[in-house]
Amino acid sequence: MKFKTFGAACAVSLGLATTAFAEYPERPINMVIPYGAGGATDISARTIAEPLNNAVGRPLVMANVTGAGGATGSVAVQNAKADGYTMLFARVGSHSVNPAMKATLPYTLEDFRFVTVYEINPVACAVSPNSGITSMDELIARVAEGGVTYSSSGVGSLLHIAAVMVLSEFGVTDPLTQTTHIPQKGGGAAATAVLNGTATFLCTNSSALASFVANKQLVPLMVTTAEPVPGFDAPTAADLGKPALHQLVGWTGIAGPDDLPDDVADKWGEWMATATADEEFLDKMTSRGSVIELMDPVRANEFIQGQYETFRKLVDDLGMRIEG
């Protein structure tokens, strides 16, 4: 993951590159969403698509390239030509949790150049109203009785590790054996599994749960933030005395292959500044509990590294690393 400073190239190189990419983009840009429809990444990408398209001035071709917990779509961009015409909606799962958890992941953080992180998305844990569970204390008591399951968007996903981290923080000594993980094909499917009673609970980004919570189809038990999340009538991690869970948040950023030129990266910085100031985009994202924070490459690097270290420690402590 290379976070070069925009405009850091030498004067001669900058002049040559500016000439080479003066007309970028000349054609549609392929935007890879590495997770399925209805999940947090898909929601974020498709919400910013219109204002971003207006800022770019060329069509953006959105494509869900799913599989392997976000790795399939990420590899597609890793191996793409670094000309700015194939870019990735990177996510906490694909670029913080996966690298921390999977020893055989076919990419590293160094294989990508991030142009920004633009969204912080809190995590919420929720159950079905039919479960009879109304609080985290009741959920933990149910774990002690046995038979509790949780859904996720796949092994090694944020949803997988979030449920384990929450259970661990609430005193479940061996969450990997005391509960059963039920992986699904995406975040939307994971929420549906709780909705139809296939799984007891899930912990996922607030944006993926907002509509279910608003329609009273799912009951939020907690949010991982220090401050309340709009639309979620649930205690915060601070309320419950679990400040360590404040680190458990989702994020969305945009990245290209590691050798993406400075000129192209500079363009993305300009476009994202315009797109994230769009009032309709801000209203939609805020209503889902997201915090829009446009990070420059240096700040994004620090943030992602901090997330990676958090999850790597949890994976090591609980023995969750996938070696094969």
Side-chain angles (χ1 to χ4, degrees):
M1 177 172 48
K2 295 181 179 177
F3 293 84
K4 303 173 184 174
T5 303
F6 292 156
C10 69
V12 174
S13 297
L14 183 61
L16 290 174
T18 300
T19 299
F21 289 95
E23 298 182 15
Y24 171 78
E26 297 179 307
R27 51 186 169 87
I29 298 174
N30 296 313
M31 301 297 299
V32 174
I33 306 169
Y35 295 97
T41 314
D42 186 66
I43 291 170
S44 180
R46 295 189 185 277
T47 304
I48 203 170
E50 182 173 344
L52 183 57
N53 189 93
N54 292 338
V56 173
R58 294 282 184 180
L60 301 177
V61 182
M62 300 285 183
N64 297 88
V65 182
T66 64
T72 301
S74 298
V75 169
V77 176
Q78 173 195 10
N79 294 329
K81 186 176 180 180
D83 56 5
Y85 288 98
T86 303
M87 301 291 284
L88 176 71
F89 281 100
R91 188 74 181 181
V92 57
S94 62
H95 284 76
S96 289
V97 177
N98 273 353
M101 196 165 184
K102 298 179 179 178
T104 58
L105 196 66
Y107 59 84
T108 71
L109 296 180
E110 296 296 330
D111 292 324
F112 297 88
R113 181 177 186 183
F114 273 73
V115 296
T116 189
V117 167
Y118 66 90
E119 177 201 8
I120 304 298
N121 197 203
V123 167
C125 297
V127 296
S128 165
N130 298 327
S131 69
I133 298 170
T134 61
S135 69
M136 284 301 300
D137 285 345
E138 291 180 4
L139 175 62
I140 299 305
R142 191 73 68 85
V143 171
E145 295 171 3
V148 167
T149 60
Y150 62 95
S151 58
S152 82
S153 52
V155 174
S157 63
L158 172 68
L159 281 66
H160 181 194
I161 205 165
V164 175
M165 186 173 180
V166 167
L167 291 172
S168 179
E169 284 297 317
F170 275 84
V172 177
T173 54
D174 190 357
L176 297 178
T177 60
Q178 296 299 307
T179 56
T180 300
H181 177 216
I182 302 178
Q184 303 291 317
K185 292 184 177 179
T192 300
V194 177
L195 195 66
N196 64 25
T198 303
T200 308
F201 77 103
L202 86 163
C203 297
T204 187
N205 296 115
S206 60
S207 59
L209 290 178
S211 61
F212 295 109
V213 170
N215 295 328
K216 301 187 184 307
Q217 294 172 291
L218 293 177
V219 178
L221 301 180
M222 68 165 293
V223 294
T224 61
T225 46
E227 300 296 328
V229 175
F232 284 71
D233 183 17
T236 67
D239 294 334
L240 297 174
K242 307 296 181 187
L245 292 177
H246 295 167
Q247 303 171 81
L248 182 60
V249 295
W251 55 263
T252 309
I254 294 179
D258 67 335
D259 50 350
L260 194 72
D262 288 341
D263 310 60
V264 174
D266 283 346
K267 285 282 190 181
W268 277 94
E270 296 168 7
W271 296 334
M272 289 301 295
T274 300
T276 55
D278 181 84
E279 289 296 334
E280 185 174 353
F281 166 75
L282 288 170
D283 288 345
K284 287 180 178 177
M285 297 300 282
T286 301
S287 70
R288 296 166 184 150
S290 291
V291 177
I292 302 305
E293 180 180 351
L294 187 65
M295 300 185 193
D296 65 26
V298 174
R299 171 72 183 106
N301 183 27
E302 295 172 350
F303 175 78
I304 294 170
Q305 288 292 340
Q307 289 275 290
Y308 167 74
E309 293 299 333
T310 295
F311 295 126
R312 187 181 62 81
K313 183 178 185 308
L314 180 70
V315 166
D316 288 344
D317 289 348
L318 296 179
M320 294 180 70
R321 189 175 303 281
I322 300 171
E323 300 292 345

